[in-house]
Amino acid sequence: QFKGDALHRLELSVEGLVSYRPVDVSGLERHREVATEPPMPDAIGTNEELYLTAEHLEQYRHPTRYPEIYWDEILRRDPLDVRTNIAYGRRKLNQGLLDEAAVHFEQAIKRLTSRHPNPYTGEAHYYLGLTRRFQNRFIEAYSLLYKSTWNAAWRSPAYYELALLD
């Protein structure tokens, strides 16, 4: 059954059980600030701001800035920063730079396991395991991937990779 003459008033109903009416978007306004270029890394005071800036740049592929310069600044300040080493490692892994990726994941694991063997996240172990698999270092890969199953968020992808190795 159809009712209405304007598109936003059109309603589709099936036996009164399910109905659909398009949203009238003519009155909606966009309240969003125009994107601006982020400050250079040395002008940013905290590692948190640097990381969030780099994350934004990586996610939205900013035309004039790259996340690496922000990650480099964080690692200059704190070489074992977990989030940054994981992010940088993923970037290097995606570029096929396996040795460089491994170094970053190892740094993250070093910090994550400095007080206890089971970190809050299995992400670094998972990605180092993936890196080792791509390097044909299967025994190491298996151990690292299995370790990442400690964390529920990485359990499924890790078991998938383990199944591939099996």
Side-chain angles (χ1 to χ4, degrees):
Q1 170 183 352
F2 292 100
K3 300 177 196 173
D5 54 355
L7 180 62
H8 67 275
R9 289 194 209 161
L10 181 66
E11 181 177 318
L12 171 63
S13 179
V14 179
E15 299 291 324
L17 296 173
V18 178
S19 65
Y20 171 76
R21 178 179 294 144
V23 175
D24 180 9
V25 295
S26 63
L28 297 179
E29 294 180 27
R30 186 176 220 157
H31 298 285
R32 188 169 83 181
E33 293 183 27
V34 175
T36 59
E37 189 171 70
M40 293 301 287
D42 59 358
I44 296 177
T46 67
N47 282 1
E48 179 79 11
E49 282 183 89
L50 283 165
Y51 181 80
L52 293 173
T53 301
E55 182 180 64
H56 169 77
L57 295 171
E58 182 182 36
Q59 185 173 350
Y60 293 102
R61 294 182 174 88
H62 197 279
T64 63
R65 295 274 196 281
Y66 298 96
E68 286 89 348
I69 63 174
Y70 297 86
W71 291 332
D72 287 340
E73 178 61 20
I74 294 169
L75 295 178
R76 187 189 66 73
R77 297 177 188 183
D78 181 4
L80 297 179
D81 184 88
V82 171
R83 293 181 310 172
T84 303
N85 274 301
I86 291 172
Y88 223 150
R90 280 193 330 256
R91 179 75 149 216
K92 297 296 185 182
L93 179 59
N94 289 337
Q95 295 171 338
L97 302 171
L98 302 179
D99 293 338
E100 292 178 41
V103 168
H104 288 289
F105 298 134
E106 288 167 347
Q107 290 291 81
I109 290 169
K110 187 177 192 179
R111 168 75 51 85
L112 284 167
T113 59
S114 65
R115 301 217 184 270
H116 50 81
N118 299 314
Y120 73 94
T121 177
E123 186 175 14
H125 286 88
Y126 172 81
Y127 280 113
L128 183 55
L130 202 59
T131 302
R132 294 300 186 221
R133 182 169 78 83
F134 294 148
Q135 292 174 321
N136 297 322
R137 295 166 65 174
F138 301 123
I139 294 171
E140 288 176 70
Y142 201 93
S143 176
L144 288 157
L145 289 164
Y146 196 75
K147 178 66 174 174
S148 71
T149 67
W150 165 263
N151 173 240
W154 293 96
R155 191 167 294 142
S156 291
Y159 279 137
Y160 175 78
E161 292 296 331
L162 289 166
L164 292 176
L165 286 171
D166 283 339

